[in-house]
Each structure stands twice: as C-alpha cells, then as structure tokens.
Amino acid sequence: MMTFIWKQEPTVRHHFYFIPLLSLLLLCLLTACGKPDPVETIDKRSGLKVAAYGSWLSPITAEDVYGLSDDFGELQSVNGALYFVQSDSSAQGKIGIKRLETGANLIDAVSSAFDVRSTVHEYGGSPFLGIGQSIFASKAEDQLLYRFAPNQVPVPLTPAGTRHGDCISYPKGSRIICVREDHRGEGESVTSLVALNLNFSNEGETMVIGADFYSSPKISSAQNHLVWISWQHPNMPWDNTQLWIGDIEPKGGLKNARRLIPDKQGSITQPLFSPAGVLYFVADFDNWWNLYRINPEGELEQVLDKDAEFAVPDWKLGNHNYAFESDNIIIASYSDKGKASLIRIFLDTGITESIAVDFGEISQVVKGEEGIYFVGAKVTPEKGIYKVKGRGVALIYSPELATVDPNYISRAVSVSLKSTDGVTIYGYFYGARNPDFIGLSGSIPPLLVMLHGGPTAKASLAFRRDIQYWTSRGFAVLDLNYRGSSGFGREYRQSLYGKWGVADVEDAVRAAGYLVNKGWVDGTKLAMRGANAGGLTVLSALVFYDTFKAGVSYAGISDMEVLSRDAHKFESSYLELLVGKNSAENNLYRERSPLYHLDRLNEPLLLIQGGDDTVVLAKQSIEVFNQLKARGVPVAYLEFEGEGHSLRDPVNQMIAIEAELYFYGKVFGFTPAGDIPALKIDNAHRLKKH
C-alpha cells in the first residue's frame, strides 16, 4: 500500500518541494492529464480574463485562510481585565491565554507552549479559571489542572488520570469547584463535581456524584446555593437534562440536593443567578431554547417567548449566551435561522431592544466590571471581542487577520427547499466571484457542498475564509444545514434521529439538484466535502447515489458498527438516538455504513486523516482507500502524523486545502492557478476527460 504521510516541521511550508521536470512529465502521464486549459483570453465586452471555473487566480491563499491566529474564545472577566484563549499558528495551533487590560494592553497570561485544553467529555471547553492574580488551567498533554501565580512556577493541583473543566470560584474554604472526569478506574470514566484546594495537589472533595454527566456549576450571589446540570445515557445534553440545586453549608459542604422542575422534560442549559439571587436558565420546553426563571414562589416563568435559539448544543463546556447588565436587564444573544443577534431584555416589562444584527456568530456573553462583553464574528471579515455600548457595540480586540479585498468576497444567499418527507431544509449559497475573471463561454460553475460535523453542528453566516478560497477560484459553494442541524429548534434537531446516514444524505442530494435546476451550478461537476459526521454523509452519498462526481472526507465515519463499539463515554449511546436501538442486532449499522458497500462507490475520493485520531481510527480510512484502489477507483489518501480528530496545525490545514484544489482540478479537468503541490491519485488514469 502506498500512502502519503506528511511530516511537517512548524516553520516549513510545502511550497518549497521541488520536483524535477522528468518527474512532472511522468506524473502527468500517470494522472491522466487532460488537455491544457485554453490560453488566457480577454472578453471583449467586459474586459475580464476568460478562464475555466476553478482555475481563476485568487489573492486569497491557503495561508490567508489558516496562517494567522484567529481561533479564540472562552471569555472571562477577572479583576477588571478580560482573559481568553487563543490559538497560535506559529506553535502548531497550540492554545494560550491572553489578558486584555483597560487601554487595550494585551499580554500573554499563559504561553501557547503550555497548550491550554481540557478534554472533559472528550470535546472539553472552559479549560481555565481566573481568580485574582492566579489562573487555573488544564494542560492538553497531561490533563492536569495547574495554578499559575505571579513569580511562581506552575503547580499541578489534580491527580493523574483525571480531567477537569467548567471550574468556578468557591470562596468558602478558598477552593474551586470543577467538573471532574475520572479515568483511573476500570470501565467507563466517572464524572462528578469536586471542590479543589487552591494551593497544593490534592484529591479534592466530591460534592456531587451519581449521574453519567455533569456541567455548569454556578453559585448564587449570596453564596448559599449551588446549581448544576446533569444528564444520563442515552441522552445527549441537547436532548434531556436535569437542573439541580443544593444548599451550601457554612463550612463549605453541600446538603439538601434536589431537582428543580422535575415535571418538565427538555434540554436545560446555562443556569445563572441574577444579582438578586433569582435563578435563570435556558430550556427548549417549547421547541426553542428560550430563557426561563424560577420566581421567588418557586414557580417556572418564561422570560421571553421567541422562535429562536438562545443556546447551542453543549458539545463543549462553558457556553454563555446571556449575562446580567443589571438586576433588571439581560443582554442575550440568539440565532434565528442562522442570523445571530444581540438584544437587551428589560425584565420588569418584557420589552426588548436590538443591539446588533450584523453578526454571523455571537458567543461568550459575559459581565465585566465595565459592562457586557462577547465574542463575535460578523458576516464581513471582522471578528473579535466586543463591548456593548448603549444600543450598539464597539470592537475592543481583534486577532491578526489576513486582509481580504471586498471585491473578491462572495455574499451568502439563503436558500430553502423541502426534504423528501416535507421538512424544510436550509443552506447558504455562495456564487463564484472574482472581479478579474469570467468563465468559459457556455459554462457554469462547479458546486462544492460543505457538510458540517456533529451532526448537530450548523452552517452559519459568519465570514469564512475557506469558503472565499473556493468562490474566488470559480467554485459555487453551498453550506448546508441538513436535518439534525442546530439553530432551527428542537424538532429540526431531532428530525435526524433514527435517520442518520439517510436523511442527511438525501438532503445533500436534493439540495444539489435544487441548485442545478435553478441553473446556478453545473450538474456534471458536483463535489462535496465534510468532516467527521459530515464525512459519513460524503461517503454515503457517493455509495448510495450517483449525483456527486467527487468527494473529500476528513476523518469520515465509514463503519457505524465500529463507532458504536469503540465510542468514548460522551457519545457511547449517541448512535441509539441517531440510528435506533438494537441497530447492531437488526443489521442497521452495516446497512448504513459505507465501508460495507464500497462496491457501489465509483467516483473519485480524497481521504484526509489524522494519524492519532481516537474517534475515527486511521485504519478505517486506510481500509476504504485500499478497497477503492484495488477496484480501480481514482482515490487519494493523506494522513497527518500527530493530528487527532480535527486538523489543528495550520501548516497541515494549508496542505489539505491545496490538496483538495489539486484533486478537484484533476477530476473536473482544470489546472489550478498558482503553485499548487501535486497530489498522488491512485488510478488517476481512470478519471473522466472533460
């Protein structure tokens, strides 16, 4: 078996591989190079260059997409300063903690070399806590929680074999309360809430235990109550969770733990006490994640009834969609069919006023000493940390971002269509756009359908450089919110249950056909790309349909049976919901797994895989590659050593997207502009001539 396993040093760019001319000629023969693109001509009417779609020269490079640090979040306000995590492209995407002080003075509070990351519930989130001059942070490498204090070396506080996240300050006894995941025993890990000493390594005191999962501990302003969220298998946190409260004793213990609103079923998340001690939270009791509170009489009240989502699926800990501007005013973010908005809610009257509507994503809404702050990404290239100012917002920090000429930016057009069972499905269409080029006479753009993971994640309107990378080269792009996506209510989110591997695939096929029928894209040049669960959709579409002519799978799931057997605790029962109970016994896993139907896959496929992926093992993708190669199907495989379920190193991300571009060029018969490294495609001589 021949595969490419990329090993990159941090400072080495793949642009500098030199291949002798003879090798290039040989490669051309082996990969069935078609006729060269026509010589560049100028359209007499428009004065623009005429070139094949996909071959347009774009100023938006792979380095512009991935080369700068722009992945940040986990916002906290501590002693008048803002702390947040941010990745570092010069350190293979490792994460440090920044401190933003008044006057925009920015310092590194914890170096990215430390790599701050929690893996509680595998996907982590909320990996640090600031208290006074100290920071308590989880280290990616060993998952120990360390204390960083001025002029002291970092001190580990937790036992090996445990993971911690979602920590809060616990003033009684000078401790912190964290979600703990304990992997020291046999079998499934044990999750609990523990209180940890701030000064030395210790086992800690278990405060709450017994449920399968915990999250979101919060202490009341009077420091006499602790609330938290729990849930049990087979539920995911966006299905059914429970809200609990306990009384904090004078010496710091917890007693009288009791469940709140036990008569209500739904996903409860983000509990928060108001300054006056009233408990608020978000729940989807009526399909939509809306704000609720428990009044002084212990009765449930809905704060605002709106067909919009005031929360997101808790794949990670530490989501914050609202904060108290005062005891009587909440600032909240919500998503309405993909559009993110920020509003002010006057609790005494129920009146609301709009603050910001031009964002694609808003997260980490927190209270600071000088007001309300949040992390936002606009529909334009702007993103950063914002402060609420009256009825508007002000940008106070933005990471270094590549400049994008607005003339090359394709704007999203919202599209909707009906699924096979009459459910409305949603997506964002981006047309090919480059002010320097038009396509060849009589041609229309190829389509690239993008599929998110999860599968309960979502496509959003937040500006994405990777989308613009494609549209500025002459591709049309559809970012699809297939059934099961979040942001459209509980019913839509659960419409995939029992139908995973079927409904999502149908939606992608129908959406592509919808755009072909509109005449927006070339029906003979349809491609799709997806990661993780989205990768399963890619593989399944190529196996069970003949609509798409190429696919790219990033760590795509090919064997549901293996996934069900080897899944980590957080997702160990997820397939019971997505596919159905007793699916293994009923052979449903095999029926829906692309791996067992590869004899029906005949279109070109590129597989991209992390060598250290513990969710979808590399051997799954290698098995797909080997079978297709043996059958003579054009197929390529890229494996990145040291990468997990998602590519973190910007260098590897750049290699991958350029490999995609080269792949599509060979499949659809165009030559990409620029210095794009060659990709070895097995059975390339079987690619169709265009």
Side-chain angles (χ1 to χ4, degrees):
M1 179 187 71
M2 294 182 62
T3 63
F4 281 4
I5 298 180
W6 292 89
K7 298 179 182 180
Q8 288 288 331
E9 295 299 324
T11 57
V12 176
R13 279 302 315 275
H14 55 290
H15 293 107
F16 306 112
Y17 288 99
F18 295 97
I19 304 174
L21 180 60
L22 183 59
S23 298
L24 282 174
L25 293 174
L26 180 60
L27 180 65
C28 186
L29 292 173
L30 290 173
T31 55
C33 289
K35 296 179 181 179
D37 289 339
V39 176
E40 184 178 282
T41 59
I42 303 298
D43 179 61
K44 293 182 179 179
R45 179 176 297 179
S46 65
L48 300 178
K49 299 172 185 177
V50 180
Y53 287 107
S55 72
W56 298 351
L57 181 64
S58 169
I60 304 172
T61 66
E63 191 166 4
D64 292 329
V65 177
Y66 297 115
L68 295 175
S69 296
D70 64 352
D71 186 10
F72 66 106
E74 308 289 354
L75 193 61
Q76 290 184 27
S77 174
V78 184
N79 282 0
L82 291 174
Y83 289 79
F84 56 94
V85 295
Q86 180 169 307
S87 63
D88 184 351
S89 60
S90 66
Q92 300 85 55
K94 292 181 178 179
I95 296 172
I97 299 175
K98 304 284 188 183
R99 174 185 168 96
L100 182 64
E101 299 173 333
T102 303
N105 181 36
L106 184 70
I107 64 171
D108 286 328
V110 175
S111 168
S112 60
F114 181 83
D115 200 11
V116 178
R117 186 157 54 96
S118 167
T119 56
V120 172
H121 302 163
E122 296 300 324
Y123 298 100
S126 196
F128 79 96
L129 172 68
I131 302 176
Q133 298 299 313
S134 296
I135 297 175
F136 302 85
S138 179
K139 187 175 184 178
E141 182 180 22
D142 57 23
Q143 285 302 292
L144 299 182
L145 191 71
Y146 288 76
R147 187 194 71 208
F148 290 79
N151 304 316
Q152 296 180 22
V153 297
V155 176
L157 300 179
T158 52
T162 62
R163 308 173 184 180
H164 297 80
D166 220 357
C167 300
I168 59 171
S169 176
Y170 185 35
K172 292 180 183 289
S174 297
R175 293 180 290 176
I176 58 177
I177 296 176
C178 302
V179 175
R180 167 178 286 178
E181 193 174 70
D182 194 335
H183 291 258
R184 292 174 292 181
E186 294 293 328
E188 195 172 69
S189 61
V190 177
T191 311
S192 60
L193 295 181
V194 297
L196 301 172
N197 190 285
L198 302 182
N199 299 309
F200 54 84
S201 179
N202 65 108
E203 180 67 28
E205 174 192 344
T206 300
M207 301 191 72
V208 182
I209 196 168
D212 290 324
F213 302 97
Y214 292 99
S215 73
S216 314
K218 293 291 184 294
I219 291 180
S220 63
S221 50
Q223 299 182 16
N224 58 349
H225 290 108
L226 174 72
V227 298
W228 63 92
I229 299 290
S230 73
W231 67 98
Q232 305 284 135
H233 288 312
N235 291 303
M236 301 300 285
W238 48 87
D239 295 318
N240 286 295
T241 60
Q242 299 177 353
L243 178 64
W244 295 80
I245 191 169
D247 303 330
I248 298 177
E249 297 179 308
K251 293 184 178 181
L254 189 70
K255 65 176 183 179
N256 193 25
R258 55 209 183 271
R259 183 182 171 188
L260 298 172
I261 50 172
D263 57 327
K264 287 288 187 179
Q265 294 291 315
S267 172
I268 306 170
T269 184
Q270 299 187 34
L272 189 63
F273 285 100
S274 74
V278 177
L279 179 59
Y280 286 71
F281 55 90
V282 180
D284 63 355
F285 299 144
D286 190 23
N287 188 45
W288 301 95
W289 266 317
N290 276 192
L291 276 165
Y292 291 83
R293 67 186 167 210
I294 297 178
N295 66 24
E297 290 73 40
E299 299 169 334
L300 179 68
E301 294 180 348
Q302 188 167 358
V303 175
L304 189 65
D305 184 2
K306 192 174 182 65
D307 290 353
E309 301 278 56
F310 286 80
V312 296
D314 286 325
W315 281 98
K316 293 186 175 184
L317 302 170
N319 291 310
H320 304 290
N321 280 71
Y322 69 103
F324 286 89
E325 189 174 41
S326 69
D327 190 45
N328 189 49
I329 299 175
I330 283 178
I331 304 293
S333 66
Y334 66 87
S335 174
D336 182 3
K337 294 182 175 59
K339 296 180 180 178
S341 299
L342 195 72
I343 61 171
R344 178 177 282 114
I345 305 172
F346 295 91
L347 299 173
D348 56 349
T349 63
I351 294 174
T352 65
E353 63 181 24
S354 176
I355 298 174
V357 294
D358 55 345
F359 285 84
E361 291 288 340
I362 295 175
S363 62
Q364 296 296 312
V365 181
V366 300
K367 169 74 171 176
E369 288 190 7
E370 297 183 358
I372 301 295
Y373 301 86
F374 65 92
V375 173
K378 291 195 172 186
V379 297
T380 58
E382 182 178 294
K383 68 183 298 184
I385 297 174
Y386 295 80
K387 179 182 179 182
V388 175
K389 297 188 71 173
R391 295 187 177 182
V393 300
L395 178 66
I396 64 169
Y397 169 76
S398 180
E400 185 181 3
L401 300 172
T403 302
V404 180
D405 185 335
N407 292 311
Y408 292 86
I409 295 176
S410 179
R411 307 292 182 182
V413 175
S414 293
V415 296
S416 61
L417 59 145
K418 294 294 184 181
S419 69
T420 52
D421 55 4
V423 176
T424 301
I425 57 178
Y426 307 89
Y428 308 116
F429 177 79
Y430 298 81
R433 179 176 175 82
N434 188 312
D436 305 321
F437 289 90
I438 59 173
L440 299 177
S441 177
S443 67
I444 50 179
L447 174 67
L448 184 55
V449 175
M450 291 189 168
L451 300 160
H452 61 71
T456 58
K458 66 174 181 177
S460 84
L461 289 168
F463 183 82
R464 286 178 52 181
R465 282 170 170 73
D466 59 336
I467 289 178
Q468 305 302 324
Y469 177 90
W470 298 110
T471 56
S472 61
R473 283 168 170 75
F475 284 82
V477 171
L478 176 66
D479 203 5
L480 183 64
N481 275 314
Y482 51 82
R483 276 173 286 176
S485 303
S486 62
F488 301 87
R490 179 185 180 90
E491 292 177 5
Y492 192 78
R493 203 167 60 245
Q494 294 191 340
S495 64
L496 188 64
Y497 281 1
K499 302 177 182 179
W500 188 44
V502 177
D504 50 319
V505 182
E506 290 176 351
D507 292 351
V509 169
R510 289 179 70 86
Y514 171 83
L515 297 176
V516 170
N517 291 337
K518 277 187 164 292
W520 292 358
V521 299
D522 187 342
T524 68
K525 296 181 179 181
L526 304 177
M528 60 195 319
R529 69 191 300 268
N532 315 327
L536 171 82
T537 308
V538 169
L539 295 171
S540 298
L542 295 179
V543 164
F544 299 114
Y545 293 86
D546 59 4
T547 302
F548 292 94
K549 307 308 176 185
V552 177
S553 168
Y554 282 77
I557 297 162
S558 61
D559 191 339
M560 291 184 181
E561 202 167 49
V562 169
L563 182 67
S564 175
R565 184 180 67 240
D566 298 341
H568 50 75
K569 179 183 176 182
F570 184 68
E571 294 183 278
S572 61
S573 300
Y574 196 19
L575 260 67
E576 290 185 22
L577 300 170
L578 289 172
V579 183
K581 290 185 177 180
N582 305 316
S583 292
E585 293 82 353
N586 297 333
N587 216 32
L588 268 182
Y589 288 153
R590 286 198 169 223
E591 285 181 17
R592 297 190 191 177
S593 295
L595 182 65
Y596 300 102
H597 306 281
L598 291 178
D599 58 317
R600 300 170 62 177
L601 198 161
N602 299 302
E603 302 298 347
L605 176 67
L606 169 58
L607 298 149
I608 297 174
Q609 178 73 44
D612 294 345
D613 192 343
T614 58
V615 179
V616 177
L617 301 183
K619 64 182 182 182
Q620 278 196 45
S621 294
I622 291 172
E623 176 64 20
V624 173
F625 169 77
N626 285 336
Q627 286 197 38
L628 295 181
K629 179 182 175 182
R631 288 186 49 243
V633 177
V635 62
Y637 178 73
L638 287 181
E639 181 177 311
F640 295 94
E641 285 193 345
E643 293 280 16
H645 197 43
S646 300
L647 301 184
R648 295 182 65 204
D649 189 334
V651 173
N652 293 337
Q653 293 171 326
M654 287 184 260
I655 293 171
I657 198 171
E658 289 188 339
E660 274 195 71
L661 178 58
Y662 182 91
F663 174 73
Y664 296 136
K666 290 301 177 186
V667 174
F668 295 137
F670 65 84
T671 301
D675 181 20
I676 304 300
L679 169 73
K680 182 181 184 335
I681 304 175
D682 285 275
N683 303 316
H685 62 283
R686 297 205 172 183
L687 289 169
K688 297 174 183 177
K689 302 295 191 298
H690 290 270

